[in-house]
mmCIF file of all heavy atoms in Angstrom:
data_model
loop_
_atom_site.group_PDB
_atom_site.id
_atom_site.type_symbol
_atom_site.label_atom_id
_atom_site.label_comp_id
_atom_site.label_asym_id
_atom_site.label_seq_id
_atom_site.Cartn_x
_atom_site.Cartn_y
_atom_site.Cartn_z
ATOM 1 N N SER A 1 25.552 -15.371 1.397
ATOM 2 C CA SER A 1 25.016 -15.605 0.057
ATOM 3 C C SER A 1 23.551 -15.182 -0.041
ATOM 4 O O SER A 1 22.999 -15.129 -1.134
ATOM 5 C CB SER A 1 25.156 -17.076 -0.335
ATOM 6 O OG SER A 1 24.264 -17.880 0.422
ATOM 7 N N ILE A 2 22.927 -14.862 1.104
ATOM 8 C CA ILE A 2 21.517 -14.465 1.121
ATOM 9 C C ILE A 2 21.419 -12.956 1.312
ATOM 10 O O ILE A 2 21.914 -12.410 2.302
ATOM 11 C CB ILE A 2 20.758 -15.172 2.256
ATOM 12 C CG1 ILE A 2 20.757 -16.675 2.036
ATOM 13 C CG2 ILE A 2 19.330 -14.630 2.373
ATOM 14 C CD1 ILE A 2 20.193 -17.475 3.196
ATOM 15 N N VAL A 3 20.772 -12.289 0.356
ATOM 16 C CA VAL A 3 20.478 -10.864 0.531
ATOM 17 C C VAL A 3 19.225 -10.779 1.386
ATOM 18 O O VAL A 3 18.143 -11.202 0.979
ATOM 19 C CB VAL A 3 20.294 -10.150 -0.818
ATOM 20 C CG1 VAL A 3 19.832 -8.714 -0.605
ATOM 21 C CG2 VAL A 3 21.595 -10.177 -1.610
ATOM 22 N N ALA A 4 19.382 -10.276 2.595
ATOM 23 C CA ALA A 4 18.302 -10.245 3.567
ATOM 24 C C ALA A 4 17.441 -8.994 3.451
ATOM 25 O O ALA A 4 16.254 -9.025 3.766
ATOM 26 C CB ALA A 4 18.875 -10.342 4.982
ATOM 27 N N ALA A 5 18.039 -7.890 3.002
ATOM 28 C CA ALA A 5 17.316 -6.616 2.937
ATOM 29 C C ALA A 5 17.906 -5.765 1.824
ATOM 30 O O ALA A 5 19.089 -5.876 1.497
ATOM 31 C CB ALA A 5 17.415 -5.886 4.272
ATOM 32 N N PHE A 6 17.052 -4.920 1.251
ATOM 33 C CA PHE A 6 17.532 -4.017 0.207
ATOM 34 C C PHE A 6 16.738 -2.725 0.247
ATOM 35 O O PHE A 6 15.643 -2.651 0.791
ATOM 36 C CB PHE A 6 17.419 -4.660 -1.175
ATOM 37 C CG PHE A 6 16.134 -4.345 -1.912
ATOM 38 C CD1 PHE A 6 16.135 -3.492 -3.006
ATOM 39 C CD2 PHE A 6 14.928 -4.880 -1.500
ATOM 40 C CE1 PHE A 6 14.949 -3.183 -3.680
ATOM 41 C CE2 PHE A 6 13.747 -4.595 -2.165
ATOM 42 C CZ PHE A 6 13.757 -3.743 -3.261
ATOM 43 N N ALA A 7 17.334 -1.704 -0.348
ATOM 44 C CA ALA A 7 16.633 -0.430 -0.575
ATOM 45 C C ALA A 7 17.008 0.038 -1.972
ATOM 46 O O ALA A 7 18.167 -0.074 -2.387
ATOM 47 C CB ALA A 7 17.041 0.615 0.459
ATOM 48 N N GLY A 8 16.020 0.540 -2.684
ATOM 49 C CA GLY A 8 16.241 1.130 -3.992
ATOM 50 C C GLY A 8 15.860 2.596 -3.925
ATOM 51 O O GLY A 8 14.805 2.946 -3.385
ATOM 52 N N PHE A 9 16.715 3.459 -4.436
ATOM 53 C CA PHE A 9 16.474 4.902 -4.322
ATOM 54 C C PHE A 9 17.014 5.633 -5.528
ATOM 55 O O PHE A 9 17.744 5.084 -6.333
ATOM 56 C CB PHE A 9 17.098 5.444 -3.029
ATOM 57 C CG PHE A 9 18.598 5.335 -2.983
ATOM 58 C CD1 PHE A 9 19.403 6.390 -3.378
ATOM 59 C CD2 PHE A 9 19.214 4.163 -2.541
ATOM 60 C CE1 PHE A 9 20.790 6.287 -3.346
ATOM 61 C CE2 PHE A 9 20.593 4.052 -2.496
ATOM 62 C CZ PHE A 9 21.386 5.113 -2.896
ATOM 63 N N ARG A 10 16.631 6.880 -5.618
ATOM 64 C CA ARG A 10 17.110 7.740 -6.710
ATOM 65 C C ARG A 10 17.220 9.172 -6.199
ATOM 66 O O ARG A 10 16.578 9.551 -5.225
ATOM 67 C CB ARG A 10 16.192 7.657 -7.914
ATOM 68 C CG ARG A 10 14.803 8.178 -7.677
ATOM 69 C CD ARG A 10 13.833 7.942 -8.835
ATOM 70 N NE ARG A 10 13.394 6.567 -8.856
ATOM 71 C CZ ARG A 10 13.522 5.759 -9.921
ATOM 72 N NH1 ARG A 10 14.028 6.201 -11.032
ATOM 73 N NH2 ARG A 10 13.121 4.522 -9.860
ATOM 74 N N HIS A 11 18.025 9.942 -6.895
ATOM 75 C CA HIS A 11 18.143 11.369 -6.613
ATOM 76 C C HIS A 11 17.087 12.095 -7.433
ATOM 77 O O HIS A 11 16.889 11.790 -8.607
ATOM 78 C CB HIS A 11 19.534 11.869 -6.981
ATOM 79 C CG HIS A 11 20.599 11.409 -6.041
ATOM 80 N ND1 HIS A 11 21.060 10.109 -6.011
ATOM 81 C CD2 HIS A 11 21.284 12.075 -5.093
ATOM 82 C CE1 HIS A 11 21.983 9.999 -5.075
ATOM 83 N NE2 HIS A 11 22.142 11.173 -4.507
ATOM 84 N N MET A 12 16.433 13.047 -6.806
ATOM 85 C CA MET A 12 15.408 13.836 -7.491
ATOM 86 C C MET A 12 15.620 15.304 -7.140
ATOM 87 O O MET A 12 16.252 15.632 -6.141
ATOM 88 C CB MET A 12 14.011 13.390 -7.044
ATOM 89 C CG MET A 12 13.727 11.919 -7.320
ATOM 90 S SD MET A 12 12.104 11.427 -6.737
ATOM 91 C CE MET A 12 11.183 11.746 -8.231
ATOM 92 N N ASN A 13 15.059 16.159 -7.964
ATOM 93 C CA ASN A 13 15.074 17.590 -7.700
ATOM 94 C C ASN A 13 13.632 18.060 -7.793
ATOM 95 O O ASN A 13 13.035 18.023 -8.874
ATOM 96 C CB ASN A 13 15.972 18.305 -8.706
ATOM 97 C CG ASN A 13 16.361 19.686 -8.255
ATOM 98 O OD1 ASN A 13 15.836 20.204 -7.277
ATOM 99 N ND2 ASN A 13 17.275 20.305 -8.971
ATOM 100 N N LYS A 14 13.070 18.460 -6.661
ATOM 101 C CA LYS A 14 11.655 18.811 -6.584
ATOM 102 C C LYS A 14 11.510 20.278 -6.176
ATOM 103 O O LYS A 14 12.317 20.797 -5.397
ATOM 104 C CB LYS A 14 10.950 17.936 -5.551
ATOM 105 C CG LYS A 14 11.002 16.458 -5.862
ATOM 106 C CD LYS A 14 10.280 15.693 -4.771
ATOM 107 C CE LYS A 14 10.211 14.222 -5.079
ATOM 108 N NZ LYS A 14 9.360 13.519 -4.115
ATOM 109 N N LEU A 15 10.482 20.915 -6.670
ATOM 110 C CA LEU A 15 10.245 22.315 -6.295
ATOM 111 C C LEU A 15 10.026 22.464 -4.788
ATOM 112 O O LEU A 15 10.522 23.401 -4.177
ATOM 113 C CB LEU A 15 9.040 22.871 -7.063
ATOM 114 C CG LEU A 15 9.254 23.103 -8.558
ATOM 115 C CD1 LEU A 15 7.945 23.541 -9.217
ATOM 116 C CD2 LEU A 15 10.349 24.118 -8.810
ATOM 117 N N HIS A 16 9.288 21.552 -4.197
ATOM 118 C CA HIS A 16 8.958 21.724 -2.776
ATOM 119 C C HIS A 16 10.077 21.312 -1.827
ATOM 120 O O HIS A 16 10.086 21.721 -0.671
ATOM 121 C CB HIS A 16 7.665 20.988 -2.415
ATOM 122 C CG HIS A 16 7.760 19.503 -2.428
ATOM 123 N ND1 HIS A 16 8.201 18.777 -1.358
ATOM 124 C CD2 HIS A 16 7.475 18.597 -3.391
ATOM 125 C CE1 HIS A 16 8.176 17.497 -1.655
ATOM 126 N NE2 HIS A 16 7.743 17.370 -2.886
ATOM 127 N N SER A 17 11.047 20.531 -2.276
ATOM 128 C CA SER A 17 12.090 20.091 -1.347
ATOM 129 C C SER A 17 13.502 20.215 -1.904
ATOM 130 O O SER A 17 14.460 19.911 -1.206
ATOM 131 C CB SER A 17 11.835 18.636 -0.933
ATOM 132 O OG SER A 17 11.805 17.782 -2.065
ATOM 133 N N GLY A 18 13.641 20.636 -3.141
ATOM 134 C CA GLY A 18 14.962 20.751 -3.738
ATOM 135 C C GLY A 18 15.556 19.386 -4.036
ATOM 136 O O GLY A 18 14.835 18.417 -4.254
ATOM 137 N N LYS A 19 16.871 19.311 -4.018
ATOM 138 C CA LYS A 19 17.545 18.039 -4.302
ATOM 139 C C LYS A 19 17.308 17.086 -3.127
ATOM 140 O O LYS A 19 17.582 17.419 -1.981
ATOM 141 C CB LYS A 19 19.021 18.268 -4.561
ATOM 142 C CG LYS A 19 19.258 19.021 -5.855
ATOM 143 C CD LYS A 19 20.719 19.193 -6.161
ATOM 144 C CE LYS A 19 20.884 19.924 -7.490
ATOM 145 N NZ LYS A 19 22.281 20.153 -7.817
ATOM 146 N N THR A 20 16.828 15.914 -3.464
ATOM 147 C CA THR A 20 16.316 14.956 -2.487
ATOM 148 C C THR A 20 16.715 13.547 -2.898
ATOM 149 O O THR A 20 16.839 13.259 -4.087
ATOM 150 C CB THR A 20 14.765 15.037 -2.498
ATOM 151 O OG1 THR A 20 14.372 16.358 -2.155
ATOM 152 C CG2 THR A 20 14.128 14.058 -1.552
ATOM 153 N N ILE A 21 16.895 12.671 -1.931
ATOM 154 C CA ILE A 21 16.937 11.245 -2.228
ATOM 155 C C ILE A 21 15.545 10.709 -1.938
ATOM 156 O O ILE A 21 14.988 10.933 -0.852
ATOM 157 C CB ILE A 21 17.988 10.490 -1.407
ATOM 158 C CG1 ILE A 21 19.399 10.861 -1.890
ATOM 159 C CG2 ILE A 21 17.765 8.975 -1.504
ATOM 160 C CD1 ILE A 21 20.524 10.166 -1.142
ATOM 161 N N TYR A 22 14.983 10.012 -2.925
ATOM 162 C CA TYR A 22 13.670 9.395 -2.773
ATOM 163 C C TYR A 22 13.852 7.878 -2.751
ATOM 164 O O TYR A 22 14.449 7.302 -3.668
ATOM 165 C CB TYR A 22 12.730 9.784 -3.925
ATOM 166 C CG TYR A 22 11.384 9.137 -3.767
ATOM 167 C CD1 TYR A 22 10.435 9.693 -2.918
ATOM 168 C CD2 TYR A 22 11.096 7.938 -4.402
ATOM 169 C CE1 TYR A 22 9.212 9.072 -2.721
ATOM 170 C CE2 TYR A 22 9.872 7.309 -4.212
ATOM 171 C CZ TYR A 22 8.948 7.887 -3.368
ATOM 172 O OH TYR A 22 7.741 7.257 -3.165
ATOM 173 N N ILE A 23 13.378 7.256 -1.689
ATOM 174 C CA ILE A 23 13.462 5.803 -1.550
ATOM 175 C C ILE A 23 12.210 5.196 -2.176
ATOM 176 O O ILE A 23 11.099 5.396 -1.691
ATOM 177 C CB ILE A 23 13.590 5.387 -0.072
ATOM 178 C CG1 ILE A 23 14.842 6.018 0.547
ATOM 179 C CG2 ILE A 23 13.606 3.863 0.053
ATOM 180 C CD1 ILE A 23 14.959 5.840 2.051
ATOM 181 N N ASP A 24 12.422 4.481 -3.274
ATOM 182 C CA ASP A 24 11.326 3.807 -3.973
ATOM 183 C C ASP A 24 10.943 2.502 -3.286
ATOM 184 O O ASP A 24 9.770 2.129 -3.259
ATOM 185 C CB ASP A 24 11.744 3.442 -5.408
ATOM 186 C CG ASP A 24 11.991 4.635 -6.294
ATOM 187 O OD1 ASP A 24 13.110 5.167 -6.255
ATOM 188 O OD2 ASP A 24 11.069 5.013 -7.026
ATOM 189 N N ASP A 25 11.946 1.776 -2.817
ATOM 190 C CA ASP A 25 11.752 0.411 -2.346
ATOM 191 C C ASP A 25 12.591 0.160 -1.099
ATOM 192 O O ASP A 25 13.750 0.574 -1.043
ATOM 193 C CB ASP A 25 12.188 -0.587 -3.431
ATOM 194 C CG ASP A 25 11.500 -0.337 -4.763
ATOM 195 O OD1 ASP A 25 10.269 -0.469 -4.812
ATOM 196 O OD2 ASP A 25 12.195 0.013 -5.732
ATOM 197 N N LEU A 26 11.998 -0.540 -0.143
ATOM 198 C CA LEU A 26 12.720 -0.952 1.062
ATOM 199 C C LEU A 26 12.049 -2.207 1.576
ATOM 200 O O LEU A 26 10.831 -2.213 1.795
ATOM 201 C CB LEU A 26 12.680 0.152 2.128
ATOM 202 C CG LEU A 26 13.304 -0.174 3.482
ATOM 203 C CD1 LEU A 26 14.804 -0.378 3.365
ATOM 204 C CD2 LEU A 26 12.996 0.927 4.482
ATOM 205 N N ALA A 27 12.816 -3.272 1.741
ATOM 206 C CA ALA A 27 12.228 -4.516 2.238
ATOM 207 C C ALA A 27 13.281 -5.377 2.902
ATOM 208 O O ALA A 27 14.473 -5.281 2.614
ATOM 209 C CB ALA A 27 11.587 -5.300 1.091
ATOM 210 N N CYS A 28 12.785 -6.230 3.780
ATOM 211 C CA CYS A 28 13.606 -7.212 4.466
ATOM 212 C C CYS A 28 12.842 -8.531 4.438
ATOM 213 O O CYS A 28 11.634 -8.557 4.708
ATOM 214 C CB CYS A 28 13.845 -6.746 5.901
ATOM 215 S SG CYS A 28 14.980 -7.780 6.833
ATOM 216 N N LEU A 29 13.517 -9.608 4.084
ATOM 217 C CA LEU A 29 12.871 -10.912 4.092
ATOM 218 C C LEU A 29 12.358 -11.229 5.506
ATOM 219 O O LEU A 29 13.027 -10.894 6.492
ATOM 220 C CB LEU A 29 13.845 -11.998 3.636
ATOM 221 C CG LEU A 29 14.263 -11.955 2.175
ATOM 222 C CD1 LEU A 29 15.363 -12.991 1.918
ATOM 223 C CD2 LEU A 29 13.070 -12.207 1.262
ATOM 224 N N PRO A 30 11.204 -11.854 5.612
ATOM 225 C CA PRO A 30 10.612 -12.113 6.941
ATOM 226 C C PRO A 30 11.551 -12.799 7.928
ATOM 227 O O PRO A 30 11.572 -12.442 9.114
ATOM 228 C CB PRO A 30 9.404 -12.997 6.621
ATOM 229 C CG PRO A 30 9.014 -12.599 5.235
ATOM 230 C CD PRO A 30 10.326 -12.300 4.528
ATOM 231 N N ALA A 31 12.345 -13.743 7.490
ATOM 232 C CA ALA A 31 13.245 -14.462 8.400
ATOM 233 C C ALA A 31 14.332 -13.566 8.993
ATOM 234 O O ALA A 31 14.977 -13.935 9.983
ATOM 235 C CB ALA A 31 13.894 -15.640 7.666
#
C-alpha cells in the first residue's frame, strides 16, 4: 500500500539527440 519510489518521464524529440525519453522526476522515500 506504500509507494516507495517513483519516476516521471516524457518522450521528447530534440535536435541534438533525436527521440528521447527525458526523466523529469525520480525519488525514493528515505525509509
